[in-house]
Amino acid sequence: MPGTGTPTTGNGPLSGVKVVELAGIGPGPFAAMLLADLGADVVRVDRPGGSGLAIDPDYDVSNRNKRSVLVDLKSPEGVAVVLDLAERADILIEGNRPGVAERLGVGPEACRERNPRLVYGRMTGWGQEGPLADRAGHDIGYIAVTGTLGMIGKPDEAPAVPANLVGDYAGGSMYLVVGVLAALQHARTHGEGQVVDAAIVDGASHLAAMIHGMMAAGGWQDRRGANLLDGGCPFYGNYETADGGYMAVGALERQFYDEFVALLGIEDEAPGRKDFARWDELRTAIADRFRTRTRDEWTAVFAGSDACVAPVLSLREAPHHPHLAARGTFVEHSGITQPAPAPRFSVTPGAIRSGPAQPGAHTAEIAADWDLPRLVEGDG
């Protein structure tokens, strides 16, 4: 029965949903991978010569659970194949600059003329309109203009670069997935598809909604390292240990803070947590104490407590953390240790069904499953 924790199917909640992904790099492929992890049948349309990402296809985890066909979109035959796919699909995802898909002949109007119920998802940095819409860009520039990048880092240093997680994947991929699934619900209810304009600048700005509210209320200063959640608070930050490791401290609430300073061994010398004038003194006391033991030693001290302290692990260390290992947060598939599908479902769990799709490897399968004889006739 639903909710009992016993799956009735292993196909994922999006089983039966057909997705076409026009090959790109970064947030578009990741969004398509998430849909595939959740059970969608994702056909990736790869171009001859590759997508431009310098990674061996054997290790491109963002292409797991997908199938691939090779299509030359600069040929009339290739355009015809994509339109045939779009006619049979529920969702199409593309990540070109505005106007490129239209010039190729596979833009929203051409695709939705063949399939009015199609959800056409567009992934860009700047969006489909605006002064910068036609300009090149990367994650760091998108989050720079939204104010998000300027929030991250120490006050006396340049803003810290958070890899491409905040822009490409949080502000981009996740909002694209939410958008196309919401539009799919609308299409299934009303029989009408639509275009989803997922811009990283919009998503990254939206992520900071709570911060904007706090700033309006006077509870957040518009500068780095001066606030409760950005490192300005001495009991919410990272501290170096004796062996060069780090411990992350998030002891915000009073009961957690009291347990933290007690286990750290500074409860008798630590200033009051709300004595803001002595926060620098408190930060120094915490830092000095953490430097007296190794990361593993401090991990053992705080194990089993509610002090809200955790070791800062590397990417290779993370899969071996006892909690993550117990949950199966990371799995090994196709010889690659990688994050398992998320989130989790009690009835229709997602799964890694296949490794990274090799460009063009599934032509015959897709031709049969999607009723596309044109593919095997060599017209793609």
Side-chain angles (χ1 to χ4, degrees), residues 76-162:
E77 296 81 10
V79 171
V81 167
V82 171
L83 293 177
D84 283 349
L85 286 166
E87 183 177 343
R88 294 156 172 78
D90 298 293
I91 297 168
L92 184 146
I93 289 174
E94 65 95 9
N96 298 294
R97 291 198 206 187
V100 171
E102 285 85 348
R103 290 194 295 273
L104 290 170
V106 294
E109 289 190 12
C111 289
R112 295 187 61 241
E113 183 178 346
R114 295 280 292 272
N115 179 3
R117 297 169 63 93
L118 180 70
V119 173
Y120 195 103
R122 315 197 81 167
M123 182 76 263
T124 61
W126 303 114
Q128 297 298 309
E129 57 187 21
L132 295 177
D134 293 327
R135 300 279 72 82
H138 281 296
D139 177 289
I140 193 169
Y142 307 140
I143 64 173
V145 302
T146 66
T148 313
L149 179 62
M151 292 168 47
I152 305 171
K154 297 181 178 179
D156 55 348
E157 297 179 2
V161 180

Side-chain angles (χ1 to χ4, degrees), residues 337-356:
T337 300
Q338 56 195 282
R344 304 184 183 197
F345 298 83
S346 63
V347 177
T348 56
I352 301 179
R353 304 179 301 279
S354 61

Side-chain angles (χ1 to χ4, degrees), residues 251-266:
L252 291 176
E253 291 81 2
R254 176 59 185 265
Q255 68 271 30
F256 304 147
Y257 174 82
D258 289 345
E259 190 165 355
F260 164 61
V261 294
L263 289 171
L264 190 64
I266 62 168

Side-chain angles (χ1 to χ4, degrees), residues 119-318:
V119 173
Y120 195 103
R122 315 197 81 167
M123 182 76 263
T124 61
W126 303 114
Q128 297 298 309
E129 57 187 21
L132 295 177
D134 293 327
R135 300 279 72 82
H138 281 296
D139 177 289
I140 193 169
Y142 307 140
I143 64 173
V145 302
T146 66
T148 313
L149 179 62
M151 292 168 47
I152 305 171
K154 297 181 178 179
D156 55 348
E157 297 179 2
V161 180
N164 65 332
L165 301 177
V166 174
D168 280 352
Y169 298 125
S173 303
M174 295 301 179
Y175 280 86
L176 177 62
V177 169
V178 169
V180 297
L181 292 182
L184 179 62
Q185 172 65 21
H186 174 86
R188 291 186 165 180
T189 302
H190 301 284
E192 174 190 32
Q194 59 185 301
V195 179
V196 177
D197 176 6
I200 294 172
V201 291
D202 295 345
S205 297
H206 192 261
L207 287 170
M210 182 190 75
I211 304 299
H212 281 279
M214 293 174 67
M215 188 165 61
W220 189 277
Q221 299 182 59
D222 193 14
R223 56 191 180 93
R224 283 190 304 285
N227 301 286
L228 190 66
L229 302 173
D230 67 354
C233 171
F235 40 95
Y236 196 89
N238 303 312
Y239 289 92
E240 188 174 9
T241 57
D243 56 345
Y246 286 87
M247 298 296 290
V249 177
L252 291 176
E253 291 81 2
R254 176 59 185 265
Q255 68 271 30
F256 304 147
Y257 174 82
D258 289 345
E259 190 165 355
F260 164 61
V261 294
L263 289 171
L264 190 64
I266 62 168
E267 57 185 330
D268 294 333
E269 61 187 276
R273 59 190 286 274
K274 289 190 175 182
D275 189 350
F276 304 125
R278 299 181 66 189
W279 266 14
D280 285 343
E281 181 183 340
L282 176 57
R283 191 189 318 276
T284 298
I286 294 172
D288 288 346
R289 182 63 177 158
F290 267 120
R291 280 193 288 264
T292 64
R293 298 184 184 182
T294 67
R295 188 190 68 179
D296 288 348
E297 288 172 335
W298 282 120
T299 299
V301 168
F302 289 102
S305 78
D306 275 342
C308 301
V309 177
V312 178
L313 303 182
S314 72
L315 290 173
R316 292 190 186 279
E317 290 175 317

